[in-house]
Amino acid sequence: MLSADSIYTSAITFVETEHGRLRRKQRGIDKKDLQAARKYGVRYGTHPRPNGDEAAMYVYQDLTYIVNEVTGEEVTCYAKPLELEEVPLTEEMHAEYTKARRKIQDDLDCWTSNSVLVVDTSGSMKQADVWGTRTRLAAVWVSIALDFLASRLETGEGGLTDVISVVTLGETANAIFEEEPCSWVLYNKLVKLYSETLVAPRGHGPFLPSLRMAETLLLRNPNASCAVSLTSLSDGRPSDAATGYGLDKELCYQIIENTVGDLAKKFGRRLTFKAIAMGAYDDFDMLKRMVDAADDYGAHADFCLPSMTSSALGDVFTSVATSITSTQLELTDAKSKKQRQVRSILRESRSKAGQAISRVSDDDFWIYSLDLVKRKTYEEWIESEGVNKNRRMHKYEKAALQYPHARYVAFAKGPFGEGAERFAYRFFELAADCRTIVGKAMVAKESRLILDVDCSDEKARKEYTASFCKTQQLARRLAKEFNDKLKESYRVDQRTPTVSFLDCSIYELDDPELGVLSVLVEDKLDHTKWHKWNCNNGFVDGMKEAPVFSQESLRHAAVNMTRVALFDGDIIEEGNEEEEDSSDDEKEALGVPSEKSAIVFSPFEVAQAFSHFSYRASSRKRLVCDLQGVYDEANNVLMFSDPVIHYYNPGGFTCRKNVHGRTDHGKEGMSKFFHTHSEYCGHLCKIVNRGFRKVRRFDKKSKDHSEYAQNGYQTGLA
């Protein structure tokens, strides 16, 4: 180890070099920093250089600078490497780790996530151009240890049932860590790997060996309630064609692309795939193709090119951890907190599903004749007499196929779309030749999850589809009322978009092997124009990510929701708005033009206002959200599909749960919506939510809340 000699204050001129400028640019070091290091830094002993000159090292603050002592030329510079310290472990922590390792091997159903990190260890990863670490590879170990592992352990988002494997991408694929529990023991192993440089970058960087090993590790566990993650990091193109595989470049690329696509085909939305590029290399085409292949089958796929700093690389690994947590939350039942099983099925690529066809094939579709198909439509009416007089009633009526010449239906073997709750399949009605498509292209939807109910799978499917259909038709009715409200107001310009939900019906397919398959069918929208305006977790279009609600913030939102429901303290100050516009209302009633001109509202404003309106129009019992679909510019209408309806009736004798399916989060869902909607509640909300009778104010002297709750609500949707 070098010892400090003295403070060097020589007047030798500072001479820049091309190599030195490149290194400073890569590492974000300013020329002035080097001048300060030369003037004030601690000088260490000199070293002979090949040309006979001597190089000296100067250390100033966190900067190390190497200079040619004879010519004054800069040689290189780098920041002081980050230091990681092992976490002290107790005997109890070691015992828990050992127990978890055993359980992971013996009980595959206990896994909550399975992550494989593929790390490039080829020779180019030894370059020292990442600020804060000695080499590129060292920066990767730091980011995995701190941002992927330690942060999850500290927040509680990662635990002993989250399984992690680290595979090297190099001439020989090797699992450095295989199926390790997320723990401080693994963290210490990573610290040792980093501090002692146990893995040295060398050789070429073929992709296929590491991808095949990653595939084996990911497919080992068939547990369909487990979140799955694959992260592939490289600083260049694959070298498979140059390492003895006997394949040309494009064929290698195709095999790599197909390997990732096949994984996404099996896992779909459960899979998070991140391709991380490092360095100034401008050809990361293969990584991008891998991302496209995963995305085509519905995986959460991203290409990331962080700047050459440890913090930027750490942000990417943090995003991987966040995505895993989101998938785990999606696969956890809100009531029981148990993991939910996704149906094991191979997906169909979106690109293939998007192709226009006129005929179907047996390879891609199950085909059912007319005698094996039953179609039902949802009918709704208000009873005019008898004990149910004035009560809204509904039933499912048997109906013919949608197109008179149809004699068969075709149901795709794999889904091309996948949401949190549903699979979407291509669906067609066919002519008598059993191949030719008649009518429009349609979409069939069924539950993505294995329904956990105390009845047969066939009955569960029927009940699920019936509930789904009823929810969408209820949303259609509310949409019509909303459009009528828009037409009534002189302030809303006729160029403002209206809203609509796709009409839907139920098809029951009598399959000889699977029994009766009950699916909801609707017209197919253009998925290249698909958009989500809000979600059922407080997300609003424009946010980078869905808001995270702590227990405290959720309680605060619930209290505010209670205030809204009980005391009419809605986001809109209705009393002031009504007083302000009373003169305009009178003019409107008399047919006199108002001084205020009509406004053209955007699709975004219309979508948010409709969700708010649905709450008011249903006597504050329901709220329609998760608004997604297509904006049909030609007809100026927002075409929605797959709505979520939250139901909460504080005036009821019992608090019914999941009235509109698993995505119905009741009061909590409403609270989250209004918590974020307060920032987006605009003028259109004020317009469409006027005219509803206010709830009677609660008499503070009375303690009988139930009387208020039962009598205070006005009539509305049942």
Side-chain angles (χ1 to χ4, degrees):
M1 181 176 180
L2 296 175
S3 59
D5 291 335
S6 61
I7 299 295
Y8 185 77
T9 58
S10 172
I12 296 177
T13 305
F14 175 87
V15 181
E16 291 184 274
T17 64
E18 187 65 32
H19 175 79
R21 279 194 295 269
L22 175 61
R23 287 291 177 260
R24 281 190 275 115
K25 180 180 179 181
Q26 290 173 336
R27 299 164 188 173
I29 299 175
D30 191 85
K31 180 179 177 180
K32 293 180 180 179
D33 296 328
L34 299 188
Q35 292 171 329
R38 183 73 185 281
K39 185 174 182 179
Y40 303 111
V42 177
R43 178 176 178 271
Y44 290 80
T46 59
H47 293 272
R49 290 176 57 79
N51 61 1
D53 295 338
E54 291 186 336
M57 176 189 295
Y58 295 85
V59 178
Y60 178 66
Q61 296 180 344
D62 290 333
L63 183 67
T64 297
Y65 170 45
I66 310 296
V67 63
N68 187 319
E69 288 285 77
V70 177
T71 64
E73 294 177 332
E74 61 176 322
V75 177
T76 190
C77 58
Y78 52 86
K80 181 181 178 181
L82 295 169
E83 295 182 2
L84 297 182
E85 295 183 359
E86 293 187 10
V87 174
L89 300 176
T90 64
E91 290 184 6
E92 182 182 1
M93 294 169 72
H94 278 292
E96 289 178 347
Y97 166 80
T98 303
K99 182 179 178 180
R101 281 278 293 174
R102 191 180 304 114
K103 187 174 183 180
I104 283 171
Q105 299 301 319
D106 298 338
D107 182 12
L108 300 181
D109 290 338
C110 78
W111 296 22
T112 50
S113 69
N114 183 13
S115 302
V116 177
L117 309 175
V118 177
V119 178
D120 192 344
T121 55
S122 62
S124 56
M125 290 294 286
K126 66 184 177 184
Q127 292 191 50
D129 54 1
V130 181
W131 177 266
T133 57
R134 296 182 184 89
T135 64
R136 293 180 178 180
L137 184 56
V140 176
W141 302 137
V142 169
S143 298
I144 293 175
L146 294 179
D147 303 288
F148 183 73
L149 193 59
S151 62
R152 295 169 70 193
L153 291 169
E154 290 168 349
T155 60
E157 293 180 351
L160 295 173
T161 56
D162 295 298
V163 179
I164 299 171
S165 301
V166 179
V167 175
T168 59
L169 186 156
E171 290 183 340
T172 303
N174 178 40
I176 302 176
F177 303 113
E178 184 172 342
E179 296 177 349
E180 285 270 351
C182 181
S183 66
W184 290 113
V185 174
L186 177 58
Y187 173 84
N188 283 351
K189 290 181 179 181
L190 283 163
V191 171
K192 184 176 181 180
L193 182 73
Y194 166 73
S195 303
E196 300 182 11
T197 319
L198 298 181
V199 177
R202 61 167 59 91
H204 296 285
F207 281 26
L208 278 173
S210 58
L211 278 177
R212 284 168 176 161
M213 181 172 285
E215 182 180 33
T216 299
L217 290 168
L218 290 174
L219 294 177
R220 177 175 176 267
N221 189 344
N223 178 12
S225 63
C226 174
V228 179
S229 170
L230 173 61
T231 302
S232 184
L233 182 146
S234 177
D235 65 351
R237 65 165 67 94
S239 59
D240 298 78
T243 53
Y245 279 88
L247 304 174
D248 63 30
K249 175 183 172 182
E250 182 53 38
L251 184 56
C252 283
Y253 275 32
Q254 190 65 54
I255 295 173
I256 293 168
E257 190 176 357
N258 290 343
T259 301
V260 175
D262 286 343
L263 281 172
K265 190 176 186 177
K266 295 179 178 72
F267 294 120
R269 188 182 173 96
R270 273 204 298 142
L271 173 65
T272 294
F273 177 72
K274 297 277 187 180
I276 306 175
M278 289 193 70
Y281 180 70
D282 60 359
D283 183 7
F284 291 111
D285 180 59
M286 188 65 253
L287 290 177
K288 294 176 182 177
R289 286 175 61 170
M290 292 162 70
V291 168
D292 291 341
D295 180 71
D296 202 22
Y297 286 101
H300 299 288
D302 289 298
F303 171 76
C304 307
L305 181 59
S307 61
M308 298 300 284
T309 64
S310 294
S311 60
L313 186 59
D315 288 342
V316 174
F317 278 99
T318 298
S319 71
V320 176
T322 300
S323 184
I324 293 171
T325 301
S326 298
T327 302
Q328 287 176 304
L329 184 62
E330 182 177 282
L331 294 172
T332 303
D333 186 85
K335 293 190 297 181
S336 66
K337 305 303 179 184
K338 294 181 179 179
Q339 292 173 263
R340 302 190 293 176
Q341 293 278 336
V342 176
R343 293 183 185 276
S344 181
I345 192 168
L346 294 178
R347 282 77 177 167
E348 182 178 56
S349 71
R350 293 172 179 172
S351 56
K352 182 177 181 179
Q355 297 173 0
I357 59 173
S358 59
R359 293 173 62 83
V360 301
S361 69
D362 292 330
D363 293 336
D364 298 325
F365 291 88
W366 302 113
I367 298 174
Y368 300 91
S369 59
L370 196 59
D371 60 312
L372 299 177
V373 179
K374 181 188 296 184
R375 177 173 176 255
K376 296 189 294 186
T377 57
Y378 179 85
E379 303 293 337
E380 191 177 67
W381 72 95
I382 296 178
E383 193 66 43
S384 59
E385 57 186 20
V387 294
N388 294 321
K389 186 176 182 180
N390 297 325
R391 183 178 177 182
R392 192 173 294 277
M393 309 291 286
H394 75 273
K395 66 178 179 180
Y396 291 93
E397 292 275 10
K398 185 177 180 180
L401 297 187
Q402 297 187 47
Y403 300 98
H405 302 296
R407 295 295 179 269
Y408 296 85
V409 299
F411 182 49
K413 294 182 178 180
F416 70 88
E418 184 175 5
E421 296 286 330
R422 289 176 279 277
F423 280 135
Y425 303 77
R426 289 190 290 170
F427 192 90
F428 300 102
E429 291 186 351
L430 307 177
D433 64 359
C434 193
R435 292 289 182 271
T436 304
I437 296 171
V438 294
K440 295 181 180 179
M442 294 182 283
V443 176
K445 297 180 180 180
E446 69 164 356
S447 174
R448 173 188 179 227
L449 305 165
I450 296 175
L451 300 172
D452 185 19
V453 291
D454 297 328
C455 59
S456 66
D457 187 56
E458 182 177 311
K459 182 179 179 182
R461 286 173 183 258
K462 288 184 177 181
E463 291 180 353
Y464 176 87
T465 309
S467 174
F468 182 14
C469 182
K470 181 180 179 181
T471 295
Q472 189 147 320
Q473 297 293 10
L474 172 58
R476 275 174 60 84
R477 174 154 50 88
L478 284 165
K480 183 179 183 304
E481 294 182 22
F482 177 80
N483 293 336
D484 291 341
K485 196 82 171 181
L486 294 181
K487 292 177 183 178
E488 292 172 3
S489 176
Y490 63 89
R491 292 196 191 173
V492 179
D493 190 283
Q494 62 180 359
R495 290 171 293 175
T496 296
T498 56
V499 300
S500 179
F501 286 84
L502 291 173
D503 194 8
C504 59
S505 56
I506 295 173
Y507 283 67
E508 293 181 354
L509 313 175
D510 192 355
D511 191 284
E513 296 181 5
L514 302 176
V516 178
L517 303 178
S518 182
V519 294
L520 180 138
V521 176
E522 61 190 21
D523 288 345
K524 185 179 181 181
L525 295 174
D526 184 354
H527 276 66
T528 63
K529 299 179 180 179
W530 195 268
H531 195 82
K532 183 182 282 283
W533 283 273
N534 62 35
C535 198
N536 68 333
N537 58 3
F539 172 84
V540 177
D541 181 32
M543 292 181 174
K544 291 183 178 180
E545 56 186 21
V548 177
F549 289 87
S550 64
Q551 289 299 319
E552 182 178 353
S553 63
L554 197 56
R555 282 194 297 268
H556 175 74
V559 169
N560 182 61
M561 185 66 208
T562 302
R563 180 179 63 83
V564 172
L566 292 180
F567 303 117
D568 204 30
D570 209 335
I571 300 299
I572 306 302
E573 294 293 338
E574 298 169 78
N576 295 339
E577 197 258 339
E578 287 181 358
E579 293 171 7
E580 176 187 342
D581 298 329
S582 58
S583 59
D584 287 329
D585 289 342
E586 293 171 0
K587 290 180 180 180
E588 183 179 11
L590 296 172
V592 180
S594 168
E595 296 177 0
K596 297 183 179 180
S597 59
I599 303 171
V600 179
F601 292 96
S602 68
F604 173 84
E605 292 172 299
V606 170
Q608 309 313 323
F610 171 71
S611 287
H612 192 161
F613 169 86
S614 67
Y615 173 70
R616 297 300 306 278
S618 62
S619 300
R620 296 174 171 83
K621 295 177 184 177
R622 290 177 171 86
L623 189 146
V624 183
C625 59
D626 205 22
L627 300 183
Q628 56 189 315
V630 171
Y631 172 44
D632 181 353
E633 295 186 42
N635 296 301
N636 198 28
V637 58
L638 294 171
M639 296 296 301
F640 296 136
S641 179
D642 295 352
V644 166
I645 299 183
H646 297 308
Y647 175 86
Y648 175 63
N649 181 13
F653 292 103
T654 59
C655 188
R656 293 190 292 162
K657 302 289 186 181
N658 301 115
V659 172
H660 296 288
R662 291 177 179 269
T663 53
D664 176 0
H665 296 164
K667 181 180 179 181
E668 180 178 310
M670 291 179 174
S671 300
K672 289 180 178 180
F673 171 82
F674 282 109
H675 184 79
T676 53
H677 182 69
S678 59
E679 298 182 20
Y680 302 93
C681 192
H683 194 53
L684 184 59
C685 287
K686 294 183 179 181
I687 293 173
V688 297
N689 288 316
R690 291 185 57 218
F692 294 104
R693 295 174 61 188
K694 290 189 177 183
V695 177
R696 188 179 69 190
R697 295 282 181 182
F698 171 66
D699 184 357
K700 294 182 179 180
K701 296 181 180 180
S702 171
K703 296 183 180 180
D704 189 359
H705 288 245
S706 61
E707 179 183 354
Y708 157 77
Q710 293 178 33
N711 298 329
Y713 283 88
Q714 308 304 320
T715 57
L717 292 174

